[in-house]
Amino acid sequence: AGPALPSGRSVPPGTHAATAIASDAIRAHRMKSLRNTRRVETGALELQEQMDRIHGMFEDTGFEFVDTDFLPNNRSIAGSDTLPAKLARVHWLRIEDIETDHHSHDWVVYSNPQPSDVVQGLLGDCWLLS
């Protein structure tokens, strides 16, 4: 057997050391990638289970979610309790209360989205809409 590789394996006879080292590094990278993929898949499953529990809790209690970092009040969009004139017509709505073209529609995120479906308006949080 040849010299030892970083993994502790020996360089196989007739194999250039650089090739064996590269092969060893690729093998180690694949193993690490597989471990990371499993970790991500496990994390996604745990997150889904947690979301299902939270959703069930809200359904069971009848409470509606309120984002405590972005409360539905004037301070969240104007920085004070008083709205400037250009925001005077702002109404806070829950998704199920949104109506378009004077008709109520199911509100979905992924259903053939078009650029004209979302309008930034006065809020200025284009990152939120994207």
Side-chain angles (χ1 to χ4, degrees), residues 68-85:
T68 57
D69 291 326
F70 192 76
L71 294 169
N73 61 32
N74 295 346
R75 189 169 293 281
S76 291
I77 58 173
S80 71
D81 292 327
T82 305
L83 287 176

Side-chain angles (χ1 to χ4, degrees), residues 1-129:
L5 296 169
S7 65
R9 293 184 319 120
S10 296
V11 175
T15 304
H16 191 276
T19 302
I21 290 171
S23 177
D24 216 36
I26 290 169
R27 183 177 294 108
H29 178 74
R30 283 184 184 149
M31 294 303 294
K32 182 178 179 182
S33 181
L34 283 172
R35 284 191 304 274
N36 287 339
T37 299
R38 287 188 195 111
R39 192 174 302 127
V40 168
E41 289 171 351
T42 301
L45 182 60
E46 290 171 358
L47 179 60
Q48 183 62 53
E49 290 170 354
Q50 183 178 11
M51 290 300 298
D52 290 345
R53 282 192 304 275
I54 291 169
H55 186 261
M57 179 187 68
F58 279 102
E59 279 189 339
D60 292 346
T61 62
F63 287 112
E64 294 182 326
F65 175 78
V66 176
D67 184 345
T68 57
D69 291 326
F70 192 76
L71 294 169
N73 61 32
N74 295 346
R75 189 169 293 281
S76 291
I77 58 173
S80 71
D81 292 327
T82 305
L83 287 176
K86 67 181 181 178
L87 297 176
R89 293 183 33 193
V90 169
H91 300 7
W92 289 91
L93 298 173
R94 291 192 164 274
I95 290 175
E96 63 269 13
D97 298 328
I98 295 174
E99 293 182 8
T100 59
D101 301 326
H102 306 291
H103 301 289
S104 182
H105 297 286
D106 286 338
W107 199 86
V108 294
V109 176
Y110 301 106
S111 178
N112 193 21
Q114 301 295 316
S116 61
D117 290 344
V118 178
V119 179
Q120 180 175 342
L122 300 173
L123 188 56
D125 288 339
C126 54
W127 59 269
L128 177 67
L129 299 176

